[in-house]
Amino acid sequence: GAKHGVSAAASCDDCHEVHDLRSVSDPDSPINPRNVSKTCGKCHPDMQRLYDMSIHGRAVKAGVPDSPTCTDCHGEHLILSPRDPSAATHANRIADETCGKCHNDPIIIAKYSLREGVVDSYTDSYHGWATARDHGHSATCVSCHTAHLVLPTADPESSVSEANVVATCQQCHEGAT
C-alpha cells in the first residue's frame, strides 16, 4: 500500500497494481499517461490537484500525447529530491533538461505554437547565469511559473499573467514594480 513520510518510498504495487498488471498503452492502466497524476495523487493529492488544473494536466486529459506527466519531470523509479544535484528537478538542471526538453524542442514548439526562445531567454538572464554557477538561491522556471500549476501567460490565474507577475517577482524582490 501507499507509504507516507519523508523517508518512506512507494512500493511497486502503489503504482502498478501488481495483481492486475497492465501495459502503459492500456487506458485503464494506472501508468497510462492519462492516469499518472491520479496514481501519483494517491500519495500527493495537493500536487495532483494543481497539476490537473495546469496547462499540462488539461492537455493530457484532452489526449495531447506530448504533454508531460508527473513521471516526465520526476522520473519513474528513481525519484530524487529537487535538492539532489542528480535530480532532473534540481535547480541547475530544470531549465535545460526538464522544462527545456519540450520548451526548447523545435518540433514541439512548432506543433503546439509555443513561444520560441524561452529557455535561451532564461539561461541568458541573470537568474539563469546565477543558477548555472550555483550562485546561491536564484529563480528557476518553477520559481516564476510554479512547479505544478503551470498556466499560459494569457490565463488570468497564471503566476506570470499581467495581473500576477509583479506579486510573483515580489516573492523574492521585495518592492518590485
Side-chain angles (χ1 to χ4, degrees), residues 29-47:
S29 170
I31 58 169
N32 179 284
R34 288 189 183 204
N35 301 325
V36 168
S37 76
K38 186 169 105 176
T39 300
C40 295
K42 290 189 293 186
C43 295
H44 306 283
D46 293 340
M47 277 37 139

Side-chain angles (χ1 to χ4, degrees), residues 135-160:
H135 193 267
H137 177 74
S138 186
T140 66
C141 305
V142 299
S143 303
C144 301
H145 298 276
T146 78
H148 298 102
L149 185 58
V150 178
L151 296 169
T153 306
D155 187 317
E157 297 299 314
S158 170
S159 57
V160 292

